[in-house]
Protein backbone atom coordinates (compact mmCIF):
# COMPACT_ATOMS: atom_id res chain seq x y z
CA UNK A 1 0.00 0.00 0.00
CA UNK A 2 1.20 3.51 -0.76
CA UNK A 3 0.66 5.15 2.60
CA UNK A 4 3.19 2.95 4.39
CA UNK A 5 6.08 1.41 2.48
CA UNK A 6 8.85 -0.48 4.19
CA UNK A 7 10.26 -0.46 7.71
CA UNK A 8 12.39 2.26 9.27
CA UNK A 9 15.51 0.34 8.34
CA UNK A 10 14.15 -0.46 4.89
CA UNK A 11 13.24 3.20 4.32
CA UNK A 12 16.91 4.12 4.46
CA UNK A 13 17.45 1.99 1.35
CA UNK A 14 14.71 3.63 -0.70
CA UNK A 15 16.38 5.36 -3.66
CA UNK A 16 16.66 9.12 -3.50
CA UNK A 17 17.05 11.70 -0.80
CA UNK A 18 13.40 11.39 0.26
CA UNK A 19 13.94 7.93 1.72
CA UNK A 20 17.07 9.05 3.58
CA UNK A 21 15.25 12.07 4.98
CA UNK A 22 12.31 9.97 6.16
CA UNK A 23 14.62 7.50 7.87
CA UNK A 24 16.52 10.33 9.58
CA UNK A 25 13.30 11.97 10.75
CA UNK A 26 11.89 8.77 12.16
CA UNK A 27 15.06 7.73 13.95
CA UNK A 28 15.75 11.25 15.25
CA UNK A 29 12.42 11.62 17.01
CA UNK A 30 12.38 11.86 20.81
CA UNK A 31 9.12 9.91 20.94
CA UNK A 32 8.74 6.28 20.03
CA UNK A 33 6.88 5.87 16.75
CA UNK A 34 5.29 2.86 15.11
CA UNK A 35 2.81 2.55 12.27
CA UNK A 36 0.30 -0.09 11.17
CA UNK A 37 -1.36 -0.71 7.84
CA UNK A 38 -5.09 -1.24 7.53
CA UNK A 39 -4.71 -4.90 8.55
CA UNK A 40 -2.82 -4.02 11.74
CA UNK A 41 0.62 -5.07 10.46
CA UNK A 42 3.59 -3.05 11.76
CA UNK A 43 5.15 -1.05 8.92
CA UNK A 44 7.41 1.40 10.81
CA UNK A 45 9.39 1.16 14.04
CA UNK A 46 11.92 3.83 15.00
CA UNK A 47 14.97 3.76 17.28
CA UNK A 48 13.18 5.31 20.28
CA UNK A 49 10.64 2.48 20.16
CA UNK A 50 13.55 0.06 20.07
CA UNK A 51 15.17 1.81 23.06
CA UNK A 52 12.00 1.64 25.17
CA UNK A 53 10.99 -1.95 24.37
CA UNK A 54 14.23 -3.55 23.18
CA UNK A 55 12.70 -4.87 19.93
CA UNK A 56 14.56 -3.80 16.80
CA UNK A 57 12.88 -2.63 13.59
CA UNK A 58 13.82 -5.89 11.89
CA UNK A 59 12.05 -7.83 14.65
CA UNK A 60 8.97 -5.58 14.73
CA UNK A 61 8.17 -4.71 11.12
CA UNK A 62 5.90 -7.27 9.45
CA UNK A 63 4.25 -8.54 12.64
CA UNK A 64 0.50 -8.16 13.10
CA UNK A 65 -0.18 -6.13 16.22
CA UNK A 66 1.74 -6.79 19.43
CA UNK A 67 0.51 -10.31 20.07
CA UNK A 68 3.15 -12.91 20.84
CA UNK A 69 6.01 -10.48 21.31
CA UNK A 70 5.33 -6.94 22.70
CA UNK A 71 2.11 -7.62 24.62
CA UNK A 72 0.58 -10.39 26.63
CA UNK A 73 -1.73 -12.65 24.65
CA UNK A 74 -4.68 -11.65 26.81
CA UNK A 75 -4.09 -7.97 26.09
CA UNK A 76 -2.85 -8.05 22.48
CA UNK A 77 -6.18 -7.97 20.62
CA UNK A 78 -7.68 -5.33 22.89
CA UNK A 79 -4.58 -3.15 22.50
CA UNK A 80 -4.57 -3.51 18.71
CA UNK A 81 -8.32 -2.86 18.52
CA UNK A 82 -8.00 0.38 20.50
CA UNK A 83 -5.15 1.56 18.26
CA UNK A 84 -6.87 0.63 14.99
CA UNK A 85 -10.01 2.43 16.17
CA UNK A 86 -8.17 5.67 15.45
CA UNK A 87 -8.30 4.82 11.74
CA UNK A 88 -12.03 5.48 11.69
CA UNK A 89 -12.36 8.25 14.29
CA UNK A 90 -11.46 11.92 13.80
CA UNK A 91 -8.34 13.48 15.30
CA UNK A 92 -6.01 11.79 17.76
CA UNK A 93 -6.90 9.25 20.37
CA UNK A 94 -4.98 8.86 23.63
CA UNK A 95 -4.59 5.44 25.23
CA UNK A 96 -2.64 3.87 28.05
CA UNK A 97 -1.70 0.18 27.93
CA UNK A 98 0.96 -2.26 29.08
CA UNK A 99 3.61 -3.53 26.65
CA UNK A 100 6.36 -6.13 27.11
CA UNK A 101 10.05 -5.46 26.77
CA UNK A 102 12.19 -7.91 24.93
CA UNK A 103 13.75 -8.92 28.25
CA UNK A 104 10.31 -9.80 29.61
CA UNK A 105 9.78 -6.68 31.66
CA UNK A 106 6.53 -4.75 31.54
CA UNK A 107 6.19 -1.03 30.79
CA UNK A 108 3.15 1.23 30.96
CA UNK A 109 3.01 3.54 27.95
CA UNK A 110 0.80 6.41 26.90
CA UNK A 111 0.08 6.61 23.18
CA UNK A 112 -1.40 9.07 20.73
CA UNK A 113 -2.82 7.35 17.66
CA UNK A 114 -4.24 8.90 14.49
CA UNK A 115 -5.55 7.41 11.29
CA UNK A 116 -3.88 7.80 7.90
CA UNK A 117 -5.76 7.87 4.60
CA UNK A 118 -4.53 6.88 1.21
CA UNK A 119 -4.59 8.90 -1.98
CA UNK A 120 -8.17 7.78 -2.63
CA UNK A 121 -9.29 8.96 0.81
CA UNK A 122 -9.85 5.44 2.15
CA UNK A 123 -8.42 4.47 5.57
CA UNK A 124 -4.88 3.22 5.00
CA UNK A 125 -3.56 2.62 8.48
CA UNK A 126 -2.62 4.16 11.81
CA UNK A 127 0.47 5.81 13.19
CA UNK A 128 1.13 5.71 16.91
CA UNK A 129 3.55 7.81 18.97
CA UNK A 130 4.13 6.52 22.48
CA UNK A 131 6.33 7.08 25.51
CA UNK A 132 6.67 5.69 28.98
CA UNK A 133 3.97 7.08 31.23
CA UNK A 134 6.41 8.46 33.79
CA UNK A 135 8.22 10.37 31.05
CA UNK A 136 4.94 11.82 29.87
CA UNK A 137 3.99 12.69 33.44
CA UNK A 138 7.32 14.44 33.94
CA UNK A 139 6.67 16.52 30.85
CA UNK A 140 3.12 17.30 31.94
CA UNK A 141 4.33 18.27 35.40
CA UNK A 142 6.91 20.58 33.87
CA UNK A 143 4.28 22.22 31.69
CA UNK A 144 1.84 22.43 34.60
CA UNK A 145 4.55 23.96 36.81
CA UNK A 146 5.33 26.58 34.20
CA UNK A 147 1.68 27.46 33.79
CA UNK A 148 1.15 27.64 37.56
CA UNK A 149 4.17 29.87 38.05
CA UNK A 150 2.96 32.28 35.41
CA UNK A 151 -0.69 32.26 36.43
CA UNK A 152 -1.28 31.37 40.07
CA UNK A 153 2.03 31.73 41.93
CA UNK A 154 2.04 33.80 45.12
CA UNK A 155 5.50 35.15 44.32
CA UNK A 156 6.87 37.10 41.40
CA UNK A 157 8.40 35.28 38.44
CA UNK A 158 10.27 37.10 35.69
CA UNK A 159 12.08 35.42 32.80
CA UNK A 160 14.98 37.57 31.68
CA UNK A 161 16.73 36.96 28.37
CA UNK A 162 20.49 36.96 27.82
CA UNK A 163 20.34 40.73 27.21
CA UNK A 164 18.90 41.26 30.71
CA UNK A 165 15.50 42.30 29.39
CA UNK A 166 12.25 40.75 30.70
CA UNK A 167 10.78 38.19 28.29
CA UNK A 168 7.89 36.96 30.45
CA UNK A 169 6.27 38.28 33.65
CA UNK A 170 3.60 36.66 35.81
CA UNK A 171 0.71 38.67 37.33
CA UNK A 172 2.25 38.78 40.83
CA UNK A 173 5.51 40.25 39.48
CA UNK A 174 3.61 42.76 37.35
CA UNK A 175 1.73 44.01 40.42
CA UNK A 176 4.95 44.20 42.45
CA UNK A 177 6.67 46.18 39.69
CA UNK A 178 3.65 48.42 39.25
CA UNK A 179 3.30 47.68 35.55
CA UNK A 180 1.34 45.52 33.14
CA UNK A 181 2.46 42.04 32.10
CA UNK A 182 3.41 43.23 28.64
CA UNK A 183 4.44 46.82 29.36
CA UNK A 184 7.95 45.88 30.55
CA UNK A 185 8.71 43.17 27.99
CA UNK A 186 11.93 43.92 26.12
CA UNK A 187 12.61 47.06 28.16
CA UNK A 188 15.39 47.64 30.72
CA UNK A 189 14.53 47.07 34.38
CA UNK A 190 15.67 50.63 35.03
CA UNK A 191 12.46 51.88 33.43
CA UNK A 192 10.52 50.97 36.59
CA UNK A 193 13.29 50.44 39.16
CA UNK A 194 14.62 53.87 40.16
CA UNK A 195 17.25 52.56 42.58
CA UNK A 196 18.56 49.02 42.75
CA UNK A 197 18.42 48.23 39.02
CA UNK A 198 22.23 48.07 38.89
CA UNK A 199 22.30 45.51 41.70
CA UNK A 200 19.63 43.40 39.99
CA UNK A 201 21.42 43.49 36.64
CA UNK A 202 24.73 42.61 38.31
CA UNK A 203 23.07 39.58 39.93
CA UNK A 204 21.59 38.49 36.59
CA UNK A 205 24.94 38.88 34.84
CA UNK A 206 26.61 36.82 37.56
CA UNK A 207 24.08 34.01 37.08
CA UNK A 208 24.59 34.03 33.31
CA UNK A 209 28.37 33.81 33.79
CA UNK A 210 28.71 31.60 36.86
CA UNK A 211 25.41 29.71 37.22
CA UNK A 212 22.65 29.73 39.80
CA UNK A 213 23.60 30.93 43.31
CA UNK A 214 23.27 28.53 46.23
CA UNK A 215 21.11 30.81 48.39
CA UNK A 216 18.51 33.56 47.85
CA UNK A 217 19.54 37.19 48.09
CA UNK A 218 17.69 40.20 49.44
CA UNK A 219 17.64 43.29 47.23
CA UNK A 220 16.33 46.72 48.22
CA UNK A 221 14.82 48.64 45.31
CA UNK A 222 12.99 51.90 44.82
CA UNK A 223 10.09 51.72 42.36
CA UNK A 224 8.42 54.47 40.39
CA UNK A 225 4.64 54.10 40.45
CA UNK A 226 2.21 55.20 37.75
CA UNK A 227 1.36 58.29 39.81
CA UNK A 228 5.03 59.32 39.89
CA UNK A 229 5.58 58.40 43.52
CA UNK A 230 8.51 56.29 44.68
CA UNK A 231 8.28 53.41 47.11
CA UNK A 232 11.03 51.40 48.75
CA UNK A 233 10.71 47.60 48.70
CA UNK A 234 12.82 44.63 49.80
CA UNK A 235 12.64 41.51 47.62
CA UNK A 236 13.99 38.11 48.63
CA UNK A 237 15.19 36.85 45.26
CA UNK A 238 16.25 33.53 43.82
CA UNK A 239 17.93 33.22 40.43
CA UNK A 240 17.99 30.15 38.16
CA UNK A 241 20.11 29.85 35.03
CA UNK A 242 18.08 28.64 32.04
CA UNK A 243 19.97 26.59 29.45
CA UNK A 244 18.70 25.01 26.26
CA UNK A 245 18.24 21.22 26.53
CA UNK A 246 18.36 20.98 22.75
CA UNK A 247 21.98 22.11 22.32
CA UNK A 248 25.00 19.81 22.46
CA UNK A 249 26.65 22.19 24.90
CA UNK A 250 24.78 24.32 27.48
CA UNK A 251 23.61 27.55 25.87
CA UNK A 252 22.25 30.19 28.28
CA UNK A 253 18.71 31.19 27.37
CA UNK A 254 18.40 33.66 30.22
CA UNK A 255 17.57 33.71 33.92
CA UNK A 256 14.44 32.89 35.88
CA UNK A 257 14.12 35.47 38.64
CA UNK A 258 11.75 34.53 41.46
CA UNK A 259 11.09 36.95 44.29
CA UNK A 260 8.89 37.63 47.31
CA UNK A 261 8.22 40.98 48.92
CA UNK A 262 9.63 40.87 52.48
CA UNK A 263 9.58 44.62 53.08
CA UNK A 264 7.27 44.51 56.07
CA UNK A 265 9.28 41.73 57.70
CA UNK A 266 12.57 43.56 57.22
CA UNK A 267 11.19 46.88 58.44
CA UNK A 268 9.71 45.19 61.51
CA UNK A 269 13.00 43.44 62.25
CA UNK A 270 14.91 46.69 61.76
CA UNK A 271 12.53 48.55 64.05
CA UNK A 272 12.82 45.82 66.69
CA UNK A 273 16.62 46.01 66.56
CA UNK A 274 16.52 49.79 66.80
CA UNK A 275 14.16 49.81 69.76
CA UNK A 276 16.16 47.10 71.50
CA UNK A 277 19.30 49.21 71.12
CA UNK A 278 17.60 52.40 72.30
CA UNK A 279 16.16 50.89 75.45
CA UNK A 280 19.47 49.20 76.16
CA UNK A 281 21.13 52.61 75.86
CA UNK A 282 18.55 54.10 78.21
CA UNK A 283 19.23 51.37 80.74
CA UNK A 284 22.96 52.04 80.56
CA UNK A 285 22.28 55.78 80.79
CA UNK A 286 20.32 55.31 84.01
CA UNK A 287 23.14 53.27 85.53
CA UNK A 288 25.77 55.87 84.51
CA UNK A 289 23.65 58.83 85.70
CA UNK A 290 23.17 57.17 89.07
CA UNK A 291 26.91 57.47 89.67
CA UNK A 292 26.90 61.27 89.17
CA UNK A 293 26.71 63.44 92.31
CA UNK A 294 25.61 66.54 90.39
CA UNK A 295 22.05 66.22 88.92
CA UNK A 296 22.94 68.53 86.01
CA UNK A 297 25.91 66.34 85.16
CA UNK A 298 23.66 63.28 85.37
CA UNK A 299 21.30 64.94 82.87
CA UNK A 300 24.13 65.50 80.38
CA UNK A 301 25.25 61.85 80.75
CA UNK A 302 21.68 60.71 80.15
CA UNK A 303 21.43 62.81 76.98
CA UNK A 304 24.75 61.54 75.64
CA UNK A 305 23.57 57.93 75.88
CA UNK A 306 20.17 58.79 74.38
CA UNK A 307 21.69 60.55 71.35
CA UNK A 308 23.42 57.41 70.02
CA UNK A 309 21.52 56.29 66.92
CA UNK A 310 18.61 58.60 67.75
CA UNK A 311 19.57 62.16 66.86
CA UNK A 312 22.54 64.33 65.95
CA UNK A 313 22.05 67.14 68.47
CA UNK A 314 20.35 67.68 71.81
CA UNK A 315 19.47 71.07 73.30
CA UNK A 316 18.01 71.91 76.70
CA UNK A 317 16.32 75.30 77.13
CA UNK A 318 15.34 76.49 80.61
CA UNK A 319 12.61 79.05 81.49
CA UNK A 320 13.61 82.69 82.01
CA UNK A 321 10.39 84.60 82.53
CA UNK A 322 7.15 84.77 80.52
CA UNK A 323 7.57 82.64 77.35
CA UNK A 324 11.29 83.19 77.35
CA UNK A 325 13.89 80.45 77.30
CA UNK A 326 17.65 80.33 77.79
CA UNK A 327 20.03 77.69 76.45
CA UNK A 328 21.32 75.53 79.32
CA UNK A 329 22.80 72.42 77.63
CA UNK A 330 23.84 71.74 74.06
CA UNK A 331 25.91 69.34 72.00
CA UNK A 332 28.71 70.91 69.91
CA UNK A 333 27.42 72.64 66.80
CA UNK A 334 30.58 71.98 64.75
CA UNK A 335 31.37 69.09 62.44
CA UNK A 336 33.00 67.02 65.16
CA UNK A 337 30.44 65.32 67.45
CA UNK A 338 30.86 65.53 71.18
CA UNK A 339 29.08 65.18 74.49
CA UNK A 340 26.45 67.58 75.74
CA UNK A 341 27.82 70.35 77.90
CA UNK A 342 26.55 73.44 79.76
CA UNK A 343 26.33 76.60 77.66
CA UNK A 344 28.62 79.35 78.88
CA UNK A 345 26.79 82.63 79.39
CA UNK A 346 23.45 80.90 79.00
CA UNK A 347 21.55 83.54 80.91
CA UNK A 348 20.70 85.56 77.79
CA UNK A 349 17.16 84.75 76.57
CA UNK A 350 16.93 83.14 73.14
CA UNK A 351 15.29 85.15 70.38
CA UNK A 352 12.66 82.56 69.56
CA UNK A 353 9.79 83.65 67.34
CA UNK A 354 6.20 83.23 68.57
CA UNK A 355 5.70 80.06 66.48
CA UNK A 356 9.01 78.45 67.39
CA UNK A 357 8.55 74.66 67.94
CA UNK A 358 10.11 74.86 71.41
CA UNK A 359 7.62 77.53 72.47
CA UNK A 360 4.77 75.53 70.94
CA UNK A 361 5.79 72.54 73.06
CA UNK A 362 5.93 74.87 76.10
CA UNK A 363 2.44 76.21 75.42
CA UNK A 364 0.87 72.83 74.64
CA UNK A 365 2.63 70.96 77.44
CA UNK A 366 3.25 68.32 74.81
CA UNK A 367 5.51 67.19 72.01
CA UNK A 368 6.04 69.01 68.71
CA UNK A 369 7.66 67.61 65.57
CA UNK A 370 8.97 69.90 62.84
CA UNK A 371 10.75 69.38 59.53
CA UNK A 372 12.50 71.86 57.27
CA UNK A 373 11.64 72.21 53.61
CA UNK A 374 14.26 72.56 50.91
CA UNK A 375 15.87 75.53 52.66
CA UNK A 376 17.15 73.56 55.65
CA UNK A 377 20.04 75.93 56.43
CA UNK A 378 17.79 79.00 56.48
CA UNK A 379 15.26 77.10 58.59
CA UNK A 380 17.92 76.04 61.12
CA UNK A 381 19.37 79.53 61.38
CA UNK A 382 15.93 81.09 61.86
CA UNK A 383 15.28 78.71 64.76
CA UNK A 384 18.75 79.27 66.25
CA UNK A 385 19.71 75.63 65.82
CA UNK A 386 22.90 74.08 64.39
CA UNK A 387 23.21 74.64 60.64
CA UNK A 388 22.82 70.98 59.67
CA UNK A 389 19.49 70.60 61.49
CA UNK A 390 16.58 69.57 59.25
CA UNK A 391 14.26 67.62 61.60
CA UNK A 392 13.30 68.57 65.15
CA UNK A 393 11.57 66.90 68.07
CA UNK A 394 10.70 69.33 70.89
CA UNK A 395 9.60 67.81 74.23
CA UNK A 396 8.39 69.70 77.24
CA UNK A 397 10.25 68.90 80.48
CA UNK A 398 7.74 68.43 83.30
CA UNK A 399 8.43 67.49 86.90
CA UNK A 400 6.21 67.73 89.98
CA UNK A 401 3.47 69.38 87.95
CA UNK A 402 5.56 72.24 86.61
CA UNK A 403 7.53 72.92 83.43
CA UNK A 404 11.29 73.00 83.96
CA UNK A 405 12.35 73.44 80.36
CA UNK A 406 12.19 72.13 76.79
CA UNK A 407 14.35 69.33 75.35
CA UNK A 408 15.01 69.45 71.59
CA UNK A 409 16.45 66.61 69.53
CA UNK A 410 17.71 67.49 66.05
CA UNK A 411 18.54 65.36 63.01
CA UNK A 412 20.45 66.27 59.86
CA UNK A 413 18.86 66.27 56.40
CA UNK A 414 20.45 62.92 55.54
CA UNK A 415 18.29 61.22 58.18
CA UNK A 416 14.56 60.56 58.24
CA UNK A 417 12.13 62.79 60.14
CA UNK A 418 11.03 61.83 63.64
CA UNK A 419 8.18 59.29 63.68
CA UNK A 420 5.63 58.28 66.32
CA UNK A 421 7.94 55.55 67.60
CA UNK A 422 10.65 58.19 68.13
CA UNK A 423 8.25 60.32 70.17
CA UNK A 424 7.71 57.54 72.71
CA UNK A 425 11.44 57.14 73.28
CA UNK A 426 12.03 60.89 73.33
CA UNK A 427 9.31 61.47 75.92
CA UNK A 428 10.81 58.77 78.14
CA UNK A 429 14.20 60.49 78.00
CA UNK A 430 12.58 63.87 78.63
CA UNK A 431 10.84 62.59 81.77
CA UNK A 432 14.15 61.44 83.23
CA UNK A 433 15.98 64.61 82.25
CA UNK A 434 13.21 66.73 83.77
CA UNK A 435 13.45 64.84 87.07
CA UNK A 436 17.22 65.39 87.20
CA UNK A 437 16.96 69.11 86.40
CA UNK A 438 14.25 69.55 89.01
CA UNK A 439 16.45 67.77 91.53
CA UNK A 440 19.29 70.16 90.66
CA UNK A 441 17.00 73.19 91.12
CA UNK A 442 16.03 71.98 94.60
CA UNK A 443 19.67 71.40 95.55
Amino acid sequence: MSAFTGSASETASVPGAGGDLLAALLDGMDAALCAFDADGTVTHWNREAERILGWSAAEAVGRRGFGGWAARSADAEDTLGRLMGAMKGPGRQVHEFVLLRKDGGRVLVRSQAAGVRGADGAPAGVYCAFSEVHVQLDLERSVALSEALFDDASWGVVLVDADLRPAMINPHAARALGTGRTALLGRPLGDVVVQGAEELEAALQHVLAEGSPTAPAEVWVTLRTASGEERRRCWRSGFLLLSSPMAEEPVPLGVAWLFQDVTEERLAAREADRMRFRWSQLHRAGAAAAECEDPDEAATVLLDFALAGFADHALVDRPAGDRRLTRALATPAGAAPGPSSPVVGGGIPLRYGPRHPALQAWDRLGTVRATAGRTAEVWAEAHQWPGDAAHALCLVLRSRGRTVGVLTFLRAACRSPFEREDVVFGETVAARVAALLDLGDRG
Side-chain angles (χ1 to χ4, degrees), residues 113-441:
V116 177
R117 297 185 177 276
D120 58 356
V126 172
Y127 77 83
C128 170
F130 66 90
S131 62
E132 296 178 78
V133 166
H134 73 83
V135 174
Q136 182 71 18
L137 289 177
D138 288 343
L139 174 61
E140 291 180 3
R141 289 190 188 104
S142 298
V143 174
L145 173 62
S146 299
E147 292 181 350
L149 286 175
F150 284 97
D151 289 330
D152 306 320
S154 59
W155 53 85
V157 182
V158 179
L159 294 189
V160 182
D161 62 22
D163 295 326
L164 307 184
R165 296 175 185 268
M168 191 174 292
I169 302 174
N170 77 340
H172 188 98
R175 290 191 298 269
L177 290 165
T179 183
R181 294 187 65 179
T182 59
L184 192 58
L185 300 184
R187 295 166 53 194
L189 290 171
D191 286 358
V192 293
V193 180
V194 180
Q195 295 178 355
E198 296 82 1
E199 289 79 358
L200 279 175
E201 290 178 351
L204 295 170
Q205 288 175 340
H206 174 79
V207 174
L208 287 171
E210 304 294 336
S212 304
T214 58
E218 292 187 358
V219 182
W220 281 92
V221 298
T222 302
L223 302 174
R224 182 184 293 112
T225 64
S227 60
E229 299 179 356
E230 296 183 359
R231 55 193 180 101
R232 188 83 166 151
R233 311 305 297 171
C234 180
W235 291 334
R236 181 185 289 128
S237 302
F239 302 93
L240 299 172
L241 178 63
L242 303 179
S243 298
S244 173
M246 307 301 293
E248 294 183 4
E249 296 183 2
V251 177
L253 293 178
V255 177
W257 169 33
L258 296 84
F259 65 91
Q260 281 185 314
D261 193 322
V262 294
T263 308
E264 301 304 325
E265 297 176 25
R266 289 294 158 263
L267 291 178
R270 180 182 297 179
E271 182 63 22
D273 290 341
R274 181 167 55 187
M275 295 305 295
R276 189 181 302 112
F277 172 77
R278 287 180 181 176
W279 295 109
S280 174
Q281 283 291 98
L282 198 56
H283 174 75
R284 294 173 58 198
E291 300 300 321
C292 298
E293 296 183 4
D294 182 6
D296 290 340
E297 180 185 356
T300 61
V301 170
L302 192 68
L303 285 177
D304 292 337
F305 275 94
L307 272 175
F310 182 70
D312 299 304
H313 300 283
L315 312 173
V316 175
D317 299 331
R318 302 298 303 275
D322 184 27
R323 293 190 91 250
R324 291 190 301 172
L325 298 171
T326 61
R327 184 68 43 81
L329 295 174
T331 51
S340 303
S341 59
V343 175
V344 178
I348 301 176
L350 297 164
R351 294 178 291 103
Y352 284 168
R355 298 189 58 79
H356 193 283
L359 291 180
Q360 292 183 40
W362 176 284
D363 293 336
R364 297 177 186 177
L365 300 181
T367 301
V368 174
R369 286 179 287 169
T371 297
R374 297 181 179 179
T375 57
E377 293 184 3
V378 176
W379 181 80
E381 182 179 359
H383 289 82
Q384 300 184 49
W385 288 333
D388 61 343
H391 313 292
L393 179 65
C394 296
L395 307 123
V396 65
L397 298 174
R398 298 277 295 175
S399 179
R400 294 190 298 149
R402 64 191 186 94
T403 302
V404 297
V406 176
L407 170 60
T408 300
F409 288 110
L410 300 171
R411 287 178 179 173
C414 60
R415 303 183 62 173
S416 61
F418 290 96
E419 303 291 344
R420 289 183 178 273
E421 295 79 7
D422 300 321
V423 171
V424 174
F425 179 76
E427 289 178 345
T428 304
V429 174
R432 298 192 181 190
V433 170
L436 291 170
L437 295 179
D438 186 29
L439 180 61
D441 291 344

